[in-house]
Amino acid sequence: MPTNTLPAVLPGNGTTDYARYLRTDELLALQRTPAQWVHPDELLFQIVHQSSELWLKLARVHLARARDHITTDEPSAAEMLLQRATLSLHLITEQLRMLRHLHPGQFALIRTVLGNGSGFESPGWQDVRTATTELDIAFSRLLASLETTALAVYQGQPANPLHRLAEALVGLDEQIALWRTEHYSIATRLIGHGVLGTRNTPVDSLAKLISHRRFPTLWEARTALTETSARGRAAHRAHP
């Protein structure tokens, strides 16, 4: 221990307050030990997924708080929290790249100890998915209370707090799609196409999820804007 380390005063396990506050003894004991590994890269695989669960937990809390601010018509406060949650999802997308360092033969060995475990069972993602549904409902109710629509919001000024909130929701939705894209890309890199995952689910079913939207009304508003613009151009050409 460094000579300048102060004595621990917080309750809990660990020789320092850093260890006691962050509970590093428990945290670092959550991974399988070398004696349990079927391959050393199990540590890489497990840490990527465990840390993802922590970021998803944080995202869930931010999304719940954002929902509460939307419910009380505080779009700017909600926007800030949505940006944090989106960044959390960006981070778990980036760290998936670590799994590209696994080789197919090594991962085939690691799969033998995963049982029926699958990313579909992630409690963090289940919570985030529920949170986005709640957000979608809260935003729709806010628009209704203000007697406006998503299309009208997008026809207004981008600096409007409601417009910025809508864009923050779209940004979150887009990041979820990017996360799913990276997940699918890595899954097929490791186990190939046309095979079954650990839950006997076709790996290519992941591709179908990429286009799924958590906030469909906001994407439909974009389509409506484009179609309105196209009709306007057609009418202008017809009557110069």
Side-chain angles (χ1 to χ4, degrees):
M1 183 183 298
T3 56
N4 62 345
T5 298
L6 297 175
V9 295
L10 296 176
N13 298 323
T15 57
T16 66
D17 280 337
Y18 179 90
R20 293 183 180 186
Y21 180 77
L22 293 179
R23 301 176 65 182
T24 53
D25 288 353
E26 297 98 320
L27 179 65
L28 300 178
L30 294 176
Q31 296 76 44
R32 286 162 65 92
T33 66
Q36 296 171 312
W37 294 340
V38 295
H39 189 278
D41 281 342
E42 272 195 76
L43 184 63
L44 184 159
F45 183 81
Q46 201 167 28
I47 285 178
V48 166
H49 287 82
Q50 286 183 341
S51 55
S52 292
E53 291 297 333
L54 290 174
W55 285 116
L56 288 167
K57 179 178 181 178
L58 181 64
R60 174 67 176 96
V61 170
H62 287 331
L63 294 178
R65 292 175 61 195
R67 176 206 60 211
D68 292 343
H69 283 301
I70 292 174
T71 301
T72 54
D73 192 10
E74 299 174 285
S76 295
E79 178 199 355
M80 180 188 71
L81 291 162
L82 285 168
Q83 290 174 346
R84 290 185 184 181
T86 301
L87 180 55
S88 295
L89 290 168
H90 171 74
L91 292 172
I92 68 172
T93 304
E94 289 296 306
Q95 71 180 27
L96 278 176
R97 298 178 190 273
M98 283 292 290
L99 298 181
R100 294 180 181 274
H101 293 275
L102 293 175
H103 298 289
Q106 296 168 349
F107 185 64
L109 185 59
I110 292 172
R111 286 188 80 203
T112 64
V113 297
L114 299 181
N116 295 321
S118 166
F120 286 108
E121 299 169 331
S122 162
W125 167 241
Q126 298 299 330
D127 287 345
V128 166
R129 185 173 66 176
T130 298
T132 58
T133 299
E134 294 170 349
L135 277 167
D136 190 38
I137 293 171
F139 185 70
S140 295
R141 287 175 176 171
L142 176 60
L143 293 180
S145 70
L146 297 173
E147 298 183 348
T148 189
T149 64
L151 177 60
V153 169
Y154 277 119
Q155 289 171 328
Q157 294 300 314
N160 184 297
L162 204 58
H163 188 290
R164 291 174 59 90
L165 173 59
E167 285 297 88
L169 290 168
V170 168
L172 172 64
D173 215 349
E174 185 177 37
Q175 186 57 57
I176 290 172
L178 291 172
W179 175 47
R180 283 173 158 163
T181 301
E182 185 68 13
H183 182 200
Y184 173 65
S185 176
I186 289 174
T188 54
R189 179 188 177 104
L190 289 174
I191 66 175
H193 290 278
V195 297
L196 299 179
T198 48
R199 290 183 62 196
N200 290 324
T201 303
V203 67
D204 294 303
S205 65
L206 294 172
K208 299 177 182 179
L209 296 173
I210 294 172
S211 61
H212 181 74
R213 301 303 183 190
R214 306 303 305 176
F215 307 102
T217 302
L218 297 178
W219 298 96
E220 291 164 3
R222 284 165 157 70
T223 301
L225 282 170
T226 301
E227 291 175 343
T228 299
S229 176
R231 287 194 296 270
R233 290 196 305 272
H236 179 73
R237 288 194 296 268
H239 304 283

